[in-house]
Amino acid sequence: MGDVSKPEAILAALADPTRRAIVTRLRPGALSVGALADGLPVSRPAVSQHLRVLCDAGLLDVHKSGTRRLYQLSPGGVQALRTYLDGLWDDALAGFLTAAKSSPSAKGD
Amino acid sequence: MGDVSKPEAILAALADPTRRAIVTRLRPGALSVGALADGLPVSRPAVSQHLRVLCDAGLLDVHKSGTRRLYQLSPGGVQALRTYLDGLWDDALAGFLTAAKSSPSAKGD
DNA sequence: GCTTACCGTAAGCCATGACTTACGCAAAAC
DNA sequence: GTTTTGCGTAAGTCATGGCTTACGGTAAGC
């Protein structure tokens, strides 16, 4: 489904505080929608909508268990963002080192 | 200034497409506000506002050079988000492995 | 000193999206 | 078969925030 996990979608998904709270609550393990909503300050339908966004971004995985749906973190989505940040980190560090050379700043070079 | 670089602020900052475009344009090296806005489909003040958000999140560093201000990527901000994702990845993988054991899935085990 | 270049800030407008209630559907319980 | 539980979807409301134009302020150029 949403296994492409583009960094843009993941960043957009993790931008919302409620969605980050959902992700945090899912870190210990999978939870049903009701259990998830029970510890959040929003209604259950709101949680469902957020879960859709998170799943669509590839951050969550869902599997049906009887009448309930268990949501859990998907390593693939997290990995996609990590890869993006690795490249960004590389460029940021290179730029930092370049700037360090250009600016004396009396640090001893 | 914003060297604390909380993951929440960084995620919120990187959620906007324009701000991601700014970050992308800064990957090769530092740029002034005018040069930055010149390659973006928004006005210069809009870029200034985005730069403020990015700086506040700890993702960008600024240093004055005459009448212009050079903005560049800050490794610290990127690192903060990487650290957050490392922990998230750890939990996601653990949950994935636990689920793999619980669900036979008739894949050969 | 005056002009020009470069930039940040303020005020206002408008679209995106997060939340709510109401509804419909599927699977378990009995 | 009927009821109950658990969940997703639809429609509508309202706040957040991204964009614009207008303005003020500082450093270089002449």
Side-chain angles (χ1 to χ4, degrees), chain A residues 17-28:
Chain A
T18 302
R19 282 197 288 267
R20 278 198 304 270
I22 289 177
V23 167
T24 300
R25 274 185 67 81
L26 285 178
R27 288 182 67 158

Side-chain angles (χ1 to χ4, degrees), chain B residues 88-105:
Chain B
L88 190 62
W89 158 265
D90 191 46
D91 288 344
L93 188 60
F96 176 76
L97 294 177
T98 299
K101 288 182 183 174
S102 303
S103 87
S105 95

Side-chain angles (χ1 to χ4, degrees), chain B residues 16 18-19 41-43 45-46 49-50 66-67:
Chain B
D16 184 75
T18 302
R19 282 197 287 267
V42 296
S43 67
Q49 291 168 1
H50 284 306
T67 169

Side-chain angles (χ1 to χ4, degrees), chain B residues 29-91:
Chain B
L31 284 176
S32 68
V33 180
L36 219 32
D38 198 48
L40 292 171
V42 296
S43 67
R44 186 193 49 73
V47 174
S48 272
Q49 291 168 1
H50 284 306
L51 288 172
R52 175 171 178 80
V53 174
L54 289 167
C55 278
D56 216 55
L59 270 171
L60 259 49
D61 232 1
V62 55
H63 95 106
K64 302 181 63 173
S65 171
T67 169
R68 50 187 87 175
R69 299 186 172 214
L70 283 311
Y71 286 85
Q72 66 175 354
L73 296 175
S74 174
V78 180
Q79 179 57 30
L81 187 51
R82 290 217 302 169
T83 300
Y84 169 78
L85 285 178
D86 284 348
L88 190 62
W89 158 265
D90 191 46
D91 288 344

Side-chain angles (χ1 to χ4, degrees), chain A residues 16 18-19 42-43 45-46 49-50 66:
Chain A
D16 185 75
T18 302
R19 282 197 288 267
V42 296
S43 66
Q49 292 168 2
H50 284 306

Side-chain angles (χ1 to χ4, degrees), chain A residues 1-11 13 52-61 74-84:
Chain A
M1 219 131 356
D3 280 31
V4 286
S5 303
K6 299 190 176 181
E8 329 158 353
I10 303 177
L11 286 169
R52 176 171 178 80
V53 174
L54 289 167
C55 278
D56 215 55
L59 270 170
L60 260 49
D61 232 1
S74 173
V78 180
Q79 179 58 30
L81 187 51
R82 290 217 302 169
T83 300
Y84 169 79

